[in-house]
Amino acid sequence: MTLQFQPVASGARLADQVADALEAEIRAGRLAPGARLPTEVALAAQFAVSRTVVREAVSRLKSLGMVDSRQGSGVYVRAAGAEPLRFEAAHLASRDAVVQMAELRRPLESEVAALAAERRTPQDLARIRAAIGALDEAVAAGQGGAEQDLAFHLAVAEAAHNPFLIGTLQYLHGLLQGAIRVTRANEARRDDFAREVAREHERIAQAIEAGDPVAAREAAKAHMDNAIRRIGQADPAFWRQEGARLAQPLIEGRAPRQR
């Protein structure tokens, strides 16, 4: 049977509505264990939302243990098992705040990286490489590397030679620092996440060194997209422990959600 979903209504959070609709189909058995979800493009068209909204909804289902991804194949419904761990409201707020901060950073970091590729000096490149080296040393020493990660992104920003962009990032420094502490803590729990981040930083640095603004912009955007994905895949236990604590500055700095 081919499922057909109705467009979601504005008002309540779109990703939550999409996730709720998919969850209802899974619990009703209309999406049986082993069934493949419609493609991201198909779901976006049926629900009349962006692919980003669909991605976020699927991430929520993954966190509930209801679906998982198969490389190059798609997203499949998991076999029924023990009732998955659920997020409490406070933990959902923490996760959402980190994701929203990454969404804010995505266009900023992308443009900063592109400008850095066009304007970098030898001194800028040396600072970027030094920041990567310091981050590698921190990770090797068993540290989280949040401060060194932030230093890398600020080194890239300085290479853009745009005082307004730098001023914006400095204004957001506290929130950036808080967001990076959360993402680094999550990534430190999994070796594959840590390796991904190192590769993403390296791609950004190489594109800047090559003077390729298109590649730099795409590398920075992919880094933020992947940061959002990794947060979506964080274990609920992470949010019950250090995740919620580290995200508190973001919760306090976030404006009330408009309904």
Side-chain angles (χ1 to χ4, degrees):
M1 178 179 64
T2 301
L3 294 175
Q4 183 68 38
F5 295 98
Q6 296 300 313
V8 295
S10 59
R13 196 158 180 266
L14 296 179
D16 289 343
Q17 293 184 68
V18 172
D20 288 344
L22 291 170
E23 181 177 351
E25 296 302 311
I26 293 171
R27 293 195 181 281
R30 288 184 289 273
L31 276 171
R36 184 165 68 88
L37 264 60
T39 66
E40 190 177 278
V41 172
L43 288 173
Q46 290 184 34
F47 285 112
V49 297
S50 70
R51 293 174 65 179
T52 300
V53 168
V54 172
R55 237 174 266 134
E56 187 176 345
V58 171
S59 289
R60 192 184 107 177
L61 295 181
K62 288 178 181 176
S63 73
L64 293 173
M66 302 187 77
V67 301
D68 55 23
S69 298
R70 299 179 191 174
Q71 188 67 33
S73 179
V75 178
Y76 290 80
V77 178
R78 294 184 62 180
E83 185 67 13
L85 292 171
R86 293 185 176 274
F87 288 105
E88 296 176 7
H91 303 152
L92 278 171
S94 298
R95 187 189 65 178
D96 288 350
V98 178
V99 169
Q100 289 161 1
M101 191 63 196
E103 290 171 346
L104 170 64
R105 290 178 62 194
R106 181 164 48 197
L108 280 174
E109 299 280 4
S110 299
E111 189 60 25
V112 161
L115 291 174
E118 294 176 347
R119 302 172 180 176
R120 80 282 186 275
T121 66
Q123 293 77 19
D124 294 326
L125 296 178
R127 279 193 293 270
I128 291 170
R129 278 296 164 192
I132 289 179
L135 179 54
D136 290 342
E137 290 177 6
V139 172
Q143 301 170 11
E147 302 302 322
Q148 293 82 2
D149 192 311
L150 179 58
F152 165 74
H153 287 282
L154 291 178
V156 172
E158 289 173 0
H161 294 281
N162 181 321
F164 293 103
L165 278 174
I166 294 172
T168 299
L169 291 174
Q170 288 173 339
Y171 175 76
L172 294 171
H173 184 274
L175 294 176
L176 285 172
Q177 192 174 49
I180 289 174
R181 282 177 177 163
V182 178
T183 57
R184 294 296 307 187
N186 176 49
E187 290 152 4
R189 296 164 69 97
R190 289 180 48 171
D191 289 342
D192 56 335
F193 281 179
R195 289 192 296 270
E196 281 182 9
V197 174
R199 287 194 295 268
E200 290 160 17
H201 284 170
E202 181 61 28
R203 281 194 284 270
I204 294 170
Q206 288 180 354
I208 292 172
E209 288 170 337
D212 187 338
V214 174
R217 181 181 286 110
E218 286 303 310
K221 178 182 180 298
H223 181 43
M224 290 294 99
D225 287 340
N226 288 331
I228 292 171
R229 172 181 56 79
R230 287 186 286 266
I231 283 297
Q233 293 174 344
D235 191 321
F238 169 71
W239 297 109
R240 289 197 303 272
Q241 299 164 6
E242 58 187 331
R245 175 179 58 81
L246 292 172
Q248 194 57 39
L250 301 181
I251 297 294
E252 294 171 354
R254 187 169 63 166
R257 181 180 295 166
Q258 298 298 315
R259 290 289 187 182

